[in-house]
Structures are given as C-alpha cells and as structure tokens.
Amino acid sequence: AQRVTQPEKLLSVFKGAPVELKCNYSYSGSPELFWYVQYSRQRLQLLLRHISRESIKGFTADLNKGETSFHLKKPFAQEEDSAMYYCALRGGGSQGNLIFGKGTKLSVKP
Amino acid sequence: DADVTQTPRNRITKTGKRIMLECSQTKGHDRMYWYRQDPGLGLRLIYYSFDVKDINKGEISDGYSVSRQAQAKFSLSLESAIPNQTALYFCATSDSGRVYEQYFGPGTRLTVT
C-alpha cells in the first residue's frame, strides 16, 4: 500500500531552536517525495522535492530508504516558518498522483 | 497568484441541496484535481482529470461528480449535499511533465447544515 504518515499533528518550538517535521512512507518502488507548505492566508505550495536535494528557506529533507523516512529539518526556526506542512508521495502507475500525509502544524514561538 | 481561481470562496447550504464549485486556471496546465481538506485528515483526492475527455475517480469520489468543461475549467458538484461534506475544498492544477508540482486554488469553505 502507498501511504504517507506524519505522526505529529502539532509541533511547537521556540525561535532559534532546531525543528524536525517527521514523515514516513510506504511504497514498493523507488519513491518520489515532496514537502508542501501552507502559510496562513496563503495557498498550499511546493516547498521542496527530494530529487533536487536543495535547501529552501533553510529547510532540507533527506530521503532515507532504509528507514522509509523523509523528515524536514531546519537548524534554526523562525517565526515566519509557522505553517501547515504536508509530506507527499508520488504514487505509482501512469497517474502518478500525489498522496498527502495528514499534515503537521508548526508553531514557532518568539 | 490568481492563476487558479475558485468560486464561491464560501458557501453555506442545506442538506439535500445540489451545489457546484467551480475552478478556473490560466496556467495552461492539462491536469486538474479536486481535493477536500478536513482537520486531522489532511488532503484527500476526490477527482482528477488529465484532459477534457479523461476524468478519474480519486480516493473519496462517492457523493461527488465533476465536469471538465474546457481545459481551463473543472467543476465539482455535490448532487445532494450532506453535513459530513462540510470541508475546505481545493482545486489544483499541474503540467503533465511536472505532475508533482501542483498549483492550488485558494479553497472553498463549504458548510452543509
């Protein structure tokens, strides 16, 4: 079965603290994973994809096939990082639709 | 970013009523999607369309229908609304060459009383 699990509904950290948003997946093939973000009063948008291996707004995510994880990390959280974060897996087959996790709300306190 | 628009933005309706949510895009994308978002359940795919003649059911299509009137327009209908269809509905688009990069509309908040 293809599935994305985000175990934390809410994650609260203080400004300047490290943050890690957890994502685990279940997929039989070679996975393609993504993080989407929804800031307050803004639209859901793509944050990063594992293939690009880039850092966006200080966030990075490494695909760990052994642990079937794709955790999102940032060494020093900022208040503007407060948002809803969704991990997504590109499903198999010709459709290749995205399968979203349930989301984690990140709250960065001053 | 007004490339993907949804109307109405908010709607309150009564049980049993038929309601249509509309989505338009100017991005020129061939793929369009309808999702619903519920607290604690994340985003779930209702229907998706690869082009005007290709419409497919998603994870939770029961109680919904769609129409792809043109490449730029994708409508979602609730034939007979029920309270558990109260949710935030999102339309999204993507290019077939970059399926993973979906562009979302602002959402329609639907309340069924």
Side-chain angles (χ1 to χ4, degrees):
Chain A
Q2 300 170 46
R3 187 170 57 246
V4 176
T5 302
Q6 293 180 252
E8 303 140 328
K9 286 186 178 180
L10 174 65
L11 183 63
S12 184
V13 301
F14 286 102
K15 176 182 175 181
V19 62
E20 179 179 71
L21 294 134
K22 291 183 168 40
C23 172
N24 290 90
Y25 66 90
S26 174
Y27 188 70
S28 59
S30 184
E32 289 184 63
L33 285 144
F34 311 89
W35 279 98
Y36 273 74
V37 62
Q38 187 175 26
Y39 300 103
S40 179
R41 290 184 292 278
Q42 292 188 32
R43 302 180 185 208
L44 191 62
Q45 57 188 294
L46 178 65
L47 179 63
L48 56 80
R49 48 192 293 231
H50 87 272
I51 285 179
S52 62
R53 300 184 65 82
E54 57 191 342
S55 173
I56 303 293
K57 298 184 179 183
F59 284 99
T60 58
D62 290 320
L63 177 61
N64 185 323
K65 291 187 179 180
E67 296 183 358
T68 60
S69 68
F70 186 56
H71 303 328
L72 184 68
K73 300 177 183 179
K74 185 169 183 177
F76 307 104
Q78 303 299 315
E79 290 179 68
E80 56 265 30
D81 296 328
S82 295
M84 193 73 178
Y85 291 81
Y86 290 96
C87 182
L89 166 71
R90 182 174 175 182
S94 58
Q95 300 88 352
N97 291 327
L98 292 178
I99 300 164
F100 287 90
K102 294 183 178 181
T104 297
K105 184 174 182 179
L106 175 64
S107 174
V108 182
K109 300 178 179 179
Chain B
D1 182 354
D3 291 346
V4 183
T5 57
Q6 293 183 232
T7 56
R9 295 292 311 279
N10 287 282
R11 181 72 183 267
I12 300 174
T13 192
K14 294 186 176 182
T15 298
K17 294 291 187 181
R18 184 178 189 275
I19 184 168
M20 179 182 289
L21 309 183
E22 299 185 340
C23 177
S24 295
Q25 53 117 347
T26 59
K27 299 192 75 67
H29 288 164
D30 47 356
R31 296 192 176 195
M32 297 186 75
Y33 312 81
W34 275 105
Y35 292 92
R36 66 176 279 176
Q37 184 184 52
D38 299 275
L41 296 179
L43 284 163
R44 294 181 291 169
L45 184 62
I46 305 172
Y47 269 96
Y48 59 102
S49 170
F50 288 172
D51 63 40
V52 175
K53 296 181 181 179
D54 186 354
I55 292 177
N56 305 277
K57 293 182 177 181
E59 179 188 355
I60 53 164
S61 60
D62 286 349
Y64 302 94
S65 63
V66 292
S67 173
R68 185 87 183 260
Q69 301 94 323
Q71 188 192 34
K73 295 185 183 296
F74 193 36
S75 299
L76 175 72
S77 293
L78 285 67
E79 299 302 325
S80 179
I82 57 177
N84 77 359
Q85 291 178 313
T86 293
L88 189 55
Y89 290 84
F90 287 102
C91 174
T93 74
S94 71
D95 181 81
S96 56
R98 292 170 68 91
V99 174
Y100 60 86
E101 188 167 12
Q102 295 189 10
Y103 291 82
F104 283 79
T108 295
R109 186 167 296 280
L110 176 67
T111 303
V112 183
T113 62

